[in-house]
Each structure stands twice: as structure tokens, then as C-alpha cells.
Amino acid sequence: GVEASRTLKTMIYEATFEDRVEPIAVLIRGDKEVNEIKLLNHLNCLKLALAAPETVKQAAGTEAGYVGPTMLSEGLRVVADESVRSLQNFVAGCGEKGKHAVGVNHSRDFPTPEFVDIRQAMAGEIGPTGKPLESYKGIEVGHIFKLGDKYSKAANVGVTDSDGKFRHFQMGCYGIGTSRIAAAIIEQSHDDKGIIWPLAVAPYPLHLVPMKYQDDAVRKIVDEVCDALDARGIDYLLDDRQASGGVKFGDADAIGIPYRITFGRDLAEGYVELKERRSGETQKLALDGLVEHLAGLINR
């Protein structure tokens, strides 16, 4: 019957440093979650993970899930989130299944821990601008990792500073995931038919769809348009399959090229159909001046 905000979670982590692996006790209010990136940065360690069962046993004398702050081994480093600082008479683990310690207070029942902000931000909390935080799904398209001097020490490379002292330099790793960018674009730009590529990042700006490419007269016209596009350096995707119009149109919508040019029933009169993938709008264009019109659409 006690609210989670009146309880305390005690977790044992293993922090990997350059010269050792050290168990760390982490305290946080029961309704909060640990942000392991914040914790790793505070500890300035190389790697961080929840401790193995045998490490938990050594550090607290019990199994994970029943650990409390009053039973931690002497000398164990204890880091507490700021949410614990004002917590009084809270409920915590006591090492036994189905039982808890009540009325627990830090500085009286166990030594005062290190207080630091190590919790995960949550939707609804007031953010730095004074407005409530909102939660959104996202995808990582780039990252920055601080590597410190781990690899420069291993390779024994560095610089001589202004005092003439050799120092291993600090390193960083910076990356952009091109495949993730494509995934993010598709996630934000699609409909029930398929992808809708923005023109700036589309694999091709134009999708040429002749209905009867195997017909000599049709192929001659289509090839002339392709040659003119090639001459202007304009990329295009040509569907030269022997397939029905429904199949070709369905695939064109799924692939999502910005502009589809259909060489169909009006070709004999010298016209093609232009369809914009995003809006679905269509218009009839004359073959005469077609390439110039298409070049204008894609600013070439």
C-alpha cells in the first residue's frame, strides 16, 4: 500500500575502469529509473553493467531484488540520485523475500551517499524551459563517443605539450548512419501505398513507366527520352518489365520515386502522364519539351 515514490531501489552495478572492475551501489527513488549514461559519465568509467549474482551477493549479502541500503558491505561506493536526497522514512529492501525495512533514513541508518543527477527524464516532468517534457519515439542517425585516452595509451601515441611533457591525446568517435537516415526518412515520409521519397534524397528523381516497352515504336520514344535525360545528367529508373500496368503502378508507389512518367494510351498522340508521388496529382505533358519540363521540376 505504499506509493512507489516513498520507496527506494538499491542496485549493484559493475563499473569497468582502466585498471580494475569495481562494484557500485546505486540508490534511486522507486518511481524513477537510472540513466546509465549519466551514471557512467559521473563515474568516469569505461563500461557499466548490472552486477552478476555473485557480485551482488558479495556486496550486499543477498540476491538482486532484495538489496537495501542498510546492508551494503563496508567500503562499497554508494551513489544516490538527487531524488533520494529529500526522501525520509522510506521503504527499502532488507535482504529477505516478502519483507522490507520501513522508516529508513540516509545519514542515520546508513552513511550519506554521493548525491548526483543520474535518473532518466520522464514525460510530464517540468523541463529546463519551464514546460512539461514530452516523450517521442526516435531513431539514432548519428552519435558521438568520448573515448578518452584508452586507444592513444594502447598505441602509445600523443603530443608534447607547452611544458615539453608527453601526453596521450584525448579521442572521440563521430559517426552518421546513412542507412539509419534512410530508415528515418521513410518512417516520416510514407503512406499506405509505400515510400514517399523527398526529392533531395530520392534514389532517383524520375520513374519512367512505359506500358508496352517491348513494342518497337514505344521503345524508340522511351529510349529517346532516356538519351535526352542522360545528356542532361538526370538520373531515372526505367521499368522495362513485361508486366501489367497495375503491377507497375503498384510497385512505383511502393518504391516512392518523386515523379512517375507513364508512357501509355496517349503516347500515339504525343503525350505522357506525369504523376507526383506525394500529392498524387497527375497532368498530361507533350513529348515535345518533356525533358526540359522534367529538368525544371528537379531544378537541373
Side-chain angles (χ1 to χ4, degrees):
V2 177
E3 292 182 2
S5 60
R6 303 296 306 164
T7 67
L8 182 79
K9 292 188 288 191
T10 305
M11 293 170 285
I12 308 298
Y13 281 86
E14 285 181 324
T16 302
F17 298 88
E18 288 186 356
D19 56 349
R20 70 191 188 283
V21 177
E22 179 183 338
I24 307 287
V26 176
L27 313 181
I28 192 166
R29 214 169 75 184
D31 60 337
K32 307 295 183 184
E33 298 295 335
V34 174
N35 183 321
E36 294 185 353
I37 300 298
K38 287 183 178 180
L39 179 59
L40 183 144
N41 289 337
H42 173 70
L43 298 174
N44 196 27
C45 59
L46 302 175
K47 189 169 65 173
L48 189 70
L50 286 170
E54 56 270 19
T55 303
V56 176
K57 191 77 172 178
Q58 292 172 2
T62 188
E63 299 176 25
Y66 307 116
V67 180
T70 60
M71 52 196 300
L72 302 175
S73 60
E74 189 175 351
L76 181 69
R77 185 176 179 182
V78 182
V79 178
D81 180 62
E82 286 288 352
S83 62
V84 179
R85 188 189 292 272
S86 60
L87 203 58
Q88 295 179 330
N89 299 320
F90 50 80
V91 176
C94 65
E96 295 185 46
K97 185 177 182 179
K99 294 185 179 181
H100 297 84
V102 298
V104 180
N105 290 275
H106 57 75
S107 306
R108 184 193 72 182
D109 301 314
F110 62 94
T112 304
E114 301 174 40
F115 289 110
V116 64
D117 173 19
I118 54 170
R119 68 182 178 87
Q120 194 78 262
M122 299 173 65
E125 295 179 341
I126 301 301
T129 63
K131 296 180 180 180
L133 298 176
E134 297 182 54
S135 177
Y136 295 92
K137 295 179 69 175
I139 180 170
E140 177 190 319
V141 297
H143 61 226
I144 301 174
F145 290 130
K146 180 182 177 182
L147 304 176
D149 56 10
K150 177 181 178 180
Y151 296 107
S152 59
K153 278 187 175 180
N156 195 30
V157 293
V159 296
T160 302
D161 66 14
S162 57
D163 296 324
K165 183 178 179 180
F166 178 80
R167 294 181 182 275
H168 295 104
F169 48 68
Q170 300 294 305
M171 295 177 64
C173 173
Y174 316 90
I176 293 178
T178 51
S179 59
R180 292 188 179 200
I181 290 175
I185 291 169
I186 293 170
E187 187 178 75
Q188 297 177 66
S189 185
H190 69 275
D191 59 18
D192 57 356
K193 295 178 181 178
I195 305 168
I196 304 175
W197 285 109
L199 180 61
V201 294
Y204 303 94
L206 306 175
H207 195 162
L208 309 186
V209 183
M211 288 297 95
K212 296 180 180 180
Y213 187 69
Q214 287 69 32
D215 183 279
D216 291 341
V218 173
R219 185 167 62 251
K220 181 177 182 297
I221 294 172
V222 174
D223 289 351
E224 287 175 353
V225 172
C226 290
D227 290 342
L229 293 172
D230 290 336
R232 282 180 171 262
I234 298 174
D235 293 333
Y236 55 87
L237 179 64
L238 171 63
D239 188 346
D240 58 0
R241 298 174 299 167
Q242 193 168 356
S244 68
V247 169
K248 289 189 173 187
F249 293 156
D251 289 347
D253 285 340
I255 296 170
I257 303 303
Y259 296 102
R260 187 188 81 199
I261 299 90
T262 303
F263 298 79
R265 64 178 63 144
D266 295 322
L267 190 59
E269 283 74 44
Y271 291 93
V272 297
E273 180 188 80
L274 173 70
K275 180 180 179 181
E276 184 182 13
R277 175 65 180 89
R278 185 172 297 279
S279 67
E281 294 179 355
T282 62
Q283 57 178 306
K284 188 183 292 188
L285 296 176
L287 283 170
D288 184 24
L290 174 64
V291 172
E292 287 72 17
H293 184 88
L294 296 177
L297 283 178
I298 60 177
N299 296 318
R300 292 287 181 88

